Amino acid sequence: IRGAGTWKSERVIASRQGPHLRLADGGAGIINFCANNYLGLSSHPEVIRAAVEALEKFGAGLSSVRFICGTQSIHKDLEEKIARFHQREDAILYASCFDANAGIFEALLTPEDAVLSDELNHASIIDGIRLCKANKYRYKHMDMQDLEAKLKEAQKHRLRLVATDGAFSMDGDIAPLREICQLAQKYDALVFIDECHATGFLGPNGRGTDELLGVMDKVTIINSTLGKALGGAAGGYTTGPKPLIDLLRQRSRPYLFSNSLPPAVVGCASKALDLLMESNAIAQSMAAKTQRFRSKMTTAGFTISGKDHPICPVMLGDARLASVMAEDMLNRGIYVIGFSYPVVPKGKARIRVQISAVHSDEDIDRCVEAFTEVGRKHGALP
Ligand code: PLP
């Protein structure tokens, strides 16, 4: 791995997650632009208090899977709240969204069925699909002509499921859900979306990509995480029709054979959802900051992929350029990460910047200034 230049090292943080970090090796006052902490709830005082209260009242953990003796009232309350948030019939909790994605396809689909998956879907969707015995079709990224061709081919199967990320984490682009749902209707298919990079902040009330694109009543299944915008602790879920959720409780292996969510984690997510259902002010503040960063960077001469999403990939092309620029940004107090092949396609290396509601306008402006200086130094800008 080292020989291929793809060894990943971990930077050690000595403070809470947030817009300003202290690193264990002494770096202080670092402005963090690479967390999925879109709404800044990971260190929100009310979220932390809710975790402490749940820990004291319900203990450290259950030492059990859900169906033996691992279901507490707070698990049921959180499932009900998630379903209400997404306006769905029911929800089921998992230890992570990776588990939710690993557990759904095998439980739902048989060898008589088909799953049609966007080629750039998250690794956990790919792994979940690998585990099931359905017929597999991979369509070109967000290419509706290709999806239609694959849906036609898949008519011979009993049931069809189209699976896509709502928002794609490497590019910050949003799946064309209106068109996907129209095709699904035409070819009698169900639609599944992974909303890890959308839940809590996309759409007028932060419900996600389906709300943003006006198809809440057309998407059948949503998987998402509690480990990003919704408090950032851990956990994932599936929400959708009650019979599907009932089936998952019986058949989904990561649910059946893994410990239930720790109370403190449940407390965080539950409070995060309360905050979001009370007001959409936090999500709106993040949107305004995203707009500020995207527009200032574009004016400075950079190309930012995606549109209106807090994932703002600064496209650089060359892998070495992305890596040295990211290092130099850290020397200027800005923590960002470069991504190159095999995480993204060859020749499409980038630095991914993620905006949070808790960044100040000054933080954003300092980031743009640092990019401009470092970009000029390394020849990414004229
Ligand atoms: N799906 C997508 C699109 C993700 O980005 C991630 C996290 O990186 C996951 C699923 C897994 O989520 P979790 O961290 O809850 O396992």
Side-chain angles (χ1 to χ4, degrees):
I1 300 169
R2 284 189 204 280
T6 55
W7 187 268
K8 289 177 282 305
S9 51
E10 297 176 2
R11 203 154 263 140
V12 180
I13 295 168
S15 59
R16 287 179 178 178
Q17 182 61 281
H20 302 126
L21 298 176
R22 192 160 41 82
L23 300 181
D25 64 8
I30 305 290
I31 312 181
N32 179 15
F33 282 95
C34 50
N36 302 306
N37 185 21
Y38 298 114
L39 299 175
L41 298 181
S42 307
S43 299
H44 191 288
E46 286 190 50
V47 172
I48 293 171
R49 199 173 321 121
V52 172
E53 279 168 18
L55 181 66
E56 281 180 349
K57 185 161 178 204
F58 291 96
L62 274 301
S63 310
S64 169
V65 299
R66 286 284 298 271
F67 80 94
I68 298 180
C69 55
T71 300
Q72 291 170 318
S73 51
I74 47 171
H75 295 101
K76 297 308 284 180
D77 291 348
L78 179 57
E79 286 171 340
E80 182 276 322
K81 205 176 278 185
I82 288 169
R84 191 151 37 87
F85 180 79
H86 285 285
Q87 298 175 23
R88 299 305 202 273
E89 287 173 16
D90 202 356
I92 175 174
L93 289 170
Y94 287 87
S96 67
C97 186
F98 202 108
D99 277 355
N101 286 342
I104 190 161
F105 300 101
E106 191 200 15
L108 179 64
L109 303 174
T110 71
E112 289 173 66
D113 304 320
V115 56
L116 301 97
S117 172
D118 186 294
E119 65 180 348
L120 292 192
N121 275 342
H122 189 259
S124 54
I125 302 179
I126 296 170
D127 283 8
I129 290 174
R130 275 188 193 143
L131 289 170
C132 83
K133 295 199 172 67
N135 299 277
K136 292 153 191 145
Y137 296 82
R138 201 163 65 137
Y139 63 92
K140 293 199 193 99
H141 181 48
M142 303 208 304
D143 182 331
M144 293 301 98
Q145 270 186 347
D146 195 34
L147 174 59
E148 181 157 20
K150 302 271 157 54
L151 277 166
K152 280 185 187 156
E153 222 182 308
Q155 288 303 295
K156 55 185 181 269
H157 307 297
R158 187 189 66 150
L159 187 154
R160 285 151 294 285
L161 179 68
V162 179
T164 181
D165 278 1
F168 289 84
S169 61
M170 282 300 141
D171 291 283
D173 50 358
I174 292 170
L177 280 190
R178 262 186 232 126
E179 294 75 6
I180 290 177
C181 289
Q182 275 164 9
L183 285 175
Q185 208 159 1
K186 185 167 169 193
Y187 294 98
D188 192 21
L190 302 171
V191 177
F192 160 97
I193 57 176
D194 174 322
E195 288 281 90
C196 284
H197 296 278
T199 300
F201 57 90
L202 282 192
N205 301 298
R207 296 317 190 251
T209 319
D210 58 339
E211 188 195 34
L212 178 74
L213 298 175
V215 290
M216 284 183 91
D217 56 341
K218 298 204 167 58
V219 170
T220 315
I221 308 165
I222 294 175
N223 275 10
S224 193
T225 185
L226 304 172
K228 300 194 197 294
L230 299 185
Y237 58 86
T238 297
T239 183
K242 185 161 186 338
L244 168 74
I245 304 301
D246 289 343
L247 176 73
L248 293 174
R249 288 193 205 282
Q250 300 303 315
R251 289 280 167 78
S252 183
R253 293 168 70 83
Y255 180 81
L256 286 168
F257 299 111
S258 187
N259 207 21
S260 58
L261 268 189
V265 167
V266 175
C268 288
S270 189
K271 178 52 76 178
L273 283 167
D274 288 345
L275 294 173
L276 297 182
M277 288 200 270
E278 270 164 28
S279 152
N280 62 1
I282 310 177
Q284 280 178 357
S285 126
M286 189 218 59
K289 279 157 195 163
T290 298
Q291 177 56 29
R292 184 181 185 96
F293 179 78
R294 282 181 171 270
S295 110
K296 289 200 164 199
M297 283 292 280
T298 309
T299 307
F302 287 104
T303 302
I304 312 295
S305 162
K307 191 171 161 283
D308 298 337
H309 196 282
I311 292 173
C312 305
V314 182
M315 302 307 287
L316 297 166
D318 181 65
R320 224 187 100 67
L321 178 64
S323 147
V324 292
M325 274 184 65
E327 261 322 300
D328 234 2
M329 290 290 287
L330 189 63
N331 295 335
R332 286 167 170 74
I334 307 286
Y335 186 6
V336 286
I337 295 280
F339 289 94
S340 53
Y341 182 81
V343 182
V344 295
K346 272 195 180 133
K348 296 220 166 155
R350 67 205 58 188
I351 291 178
R352 185 176 70 171
V353 172
Q354 288 169 287
I355 305 295
S356 168
V358 284
H359 283 128
S360 64
D361 285 350
E362 197 196 339
D363 293 337
I364 307 263
D365 295 351
R366 274 189 57 192
C367 183
V368 175
E369 277 158 30
F371 261 112
T372 310
E373 273 174 41
V374 168
R376 285 206 187 109
K377 176 176 163 193
H378 294 285
L381 286 181

